[in-house]
Amino acid sequence: MQHDAGDRRNLLSDLLVRLCGPVGTGDHLRAIAAACEEARGGRLADDPALMAELEAATAGLDPILRESALACVSGDLRRYAAILDRLENVLDLAALEGVNHIYWCMQRQLFLMRMDAATAPDFLTSRLFPFYERFVGEIARRLDAHPVPRPAGAPATGRVVMVTNQLLSGYHQPSRDMVRQAARLQQDCGREVLILNTNMMPESYYSPFVPPFAAAVEEQLNGEQVATFEGQRIRMLSSIQPGLGADKVKGFLAAVEAFDPDVVIGFGGSVVIADLLAPARPLVHIPTTSGTPVTLADIALDYGGTAPPAGGGRLAAAWRPFRLGMIPRRDGDVASGGASGVKGGRAAFGIPDDAFACVVVGNRLDAEVDAAFLALLERVLDAVPRATVLFAGAAEALPGRLERSRHAGRLRPLGFVEHMEGLLGLCDLFLNPRRTGGGGSAVHALAAGVPALSLAVGDVASVVGPAFLVDDEEAFVARAAALAGDAALLEQARADARDRFAVIAAEGGDATQLASYLDEAVTLFRKRTQG
């Protein structure tokens, strides 16, 4: 959509009303974030004169609010660098909860691909990673959270601790993947595993950063728990205590000392408790997403790639090839009474029998289905008159945006879909937005024999492989039209999808490879600490 000077002037006025108004509640911050997104969608950042006005008019605002808002509008990572400069100057005095909140808000925007990497190409490795390392050290200093090192020469125990920032229900793909990996270590490798569900991401807003972020917490996962998978029972300790309290952090460190593992696994990026243990225990990082990890581990495993991070350095030295063994959730795995398949077939989802049914799946559709992707979908619908696009996943703002589309009747938000396997079995094509995440949904699609269509970015590209990737938006539209117009081509693509699922299932099914990395980490730790 084109925006003239008058439109952008109005966007600037609306944004300034929000930025210079109240900021004391979550509703206020979310309203500011919405105004920033409107300005971003209107390409306010393309007008240097208006951006200069924005800079001048907000000069007296809270610097975290100001810089994060301007970063949201422009995508300029130098704004985040300015925030880190301020935090580093007061890190020994700033509230840990506020710093933690700012860090995770930044990470959220990076994960959602909302920032322009070209504005600071080395931001993650040269700015964010060193800041995180210092922040972990400050947590240790402030809370006196110093783990007791394992005595040199102590015999192996065969035990492993897996630490995560967030474990949710069985509907959450990374949580399923973690429990499965723990079960495989126990069953196939004879290791005894303890899971720590630490909930160290901010559960509320502790700073005026926009867009604000707060992590979900599974309230029933508190205290001593037992996770089960494929007949294996894995002991788990979980805390829903908010924030970075000393009792919480020290409690987890004490639990590790009592369990006495040979090695610790940090499952996911920026796992604070795992990284606090790095001086005392061998540490392995297992990613839940693609991209450069933020971890202090001796060994940092890949999400499925075959090349180390560019630029060399510590992270590249720690890198090892790996693919996490992701498995799709079958209907009935989690919800009691769930049955495979969907009664009523396509009619249950309002899909016409003769439609070419495309589906977009995700937990963050409000952010991932942005104006650019919606415009791309409209081009697909122009090229394929019988196509319908379904959106599976909880979303609040998306339905309203779809209603304003010129193809509103063919863009159908379904909300949360319990029987995902059944839905995918009714679809013809899995469409992927430009995003980091989505790997789990891509695995589900391949397992159901649904071909994917994606640009070569993020987790989905790693999962589906080159056969399902295109170079640009023109090729995206052309590929969708070709599949819709050629039954034989579509059937071959379905077969290719099933074959690709078999490949990645086999790649991720070897627990002995992970066990060998655990042993290597022990050796590297010994060299690191004993010289």
Side-chain angles (χ1 to χ4, degrees), residues 450-500:
V450 180
L453 180 53
S454 175
L455 299 172
V457 293
D459 299 358
V460 170
S462 173
V463 168
V464 303
F468 297 100
L469 305 179
V470 294
D471 293 333
D472 53 36
E473 292 187 352
E474 287 68 27
F476 192 101
V477 175
R479 177 65 174 171
L483 290 169
D486 189 330
L489 182 64
L490 179 60
E491 191 56 36
Q492 181 59 53
R494 287 186 176 279
D496 292 342
R498 297 186 184 95
D499 290 344
R500 177 61 182 173

Side-chain angles (χ1 to χ4, degrees), residues 496-517:
D496 292 342
R498 297 186 184 95
D499 290 344
R500 177 61 182 173
F501 174 72
V503 168
I504 61 173
E507 287 180 354
D510 184 7
T512 58
Q513 182 190 38
L514 176 57
S516 70
Y517 286 141

Side-chain angles (χ1 to χ4, degrees), residues 116-338:
D116 181 1
T119 58
D122 62 346
F123 175 77
L124 196 150
T125 55
S126 297
R127 297 304 313 272
L128 194 63
F129 177 77
F131 176 81
Y132 172 77
E133 187 170 20
R134 187 179 170 201
F135 181 46
V136 171
E138 186 63 18
I139 293 171
R141 184 189 71 82
R142 223 71 86 82
L143 303 183
D144 191 26
H146 301 288
V148 177
R150 195 154 191 264
T157 63
R159 300 184 190 125
V160 176
V161 166
M162 299 183 74
V163 190
T164 181
N165 279 324
Q166 181 189 53
L167 193 142
L168 300 174
S169 73
Y171 291 108
H172 184 238
Q173 187 68 41
S175 296
R176 287 175 55 80
D177 296 336
M178 180 181 187
V179 175
R180 177 183 184 268
Q181 200 70 69
R184 296 297 300 274
L185 279 173
Q186 289 196 162
Q187 179 175 321
D188 298 348
C189 304
R191 307 291 180 107
E192 181 184 358
V193 180
L194 170 67
I195 292 175
L196 301 184
N197 177 32
T198 62
N199 287 308
M200 297 293 281
M201 293 189 290
E203 83 300 333
S204 187
Y205 302 159
Y206 292 94
S207 80
F209 193 106
V210 292
F213 167 69
V217 175
E218 201 78 35
E219 295 289 339
Q220 70 268 26
L221 295 182
N222 192 34
E224 290 264 3
Q225 305 279 325
V226 175
T228 59
F229 197 93
E230 295 179 348
Q232 291 293 310
R233 294 170 57 84
I234 304 103
R235 182 179 168 224
M236 179 169 69
L237 299 179
S238 181
S239 173
I240 61 172
Q241 178 183 335
L244 304 175
D247 290 345
K248 176 180 177 179
V249 171
K250 289 183 174 181
F252 280 125
L253 298 185
V256 172
E257 182 180 355
F259 190 68
D260 193 21
D262 299 321
V263 64
V264 174
I265 295 174
F267 195 83
S270 306
V271 183
V272 169
I273 293 296
D275 289 325
L276 283 170
L277 287 160
R281 303 271 171 172
L283 180 60
V284 172
H285 162 78
I286 296 180
T288 58
T289 188
S290 56
T292 303
V294 177
T295 175
L296 307 185
D298 298 285
I299 289 179
L301 303 182
D302 201 293
Y303 183 76
T306 56
R314 176 175 172 178
L315 290 174
W319 177 90
R320 300 291 185 277
F322 186 72
R323 182 178 295 280
L324 179 65
M326 294 184 290
I327 60 166
R329 177 180 62 83
R330 302 299 184 184
D331 289 349
D333 278 359
V334 176
S336 60

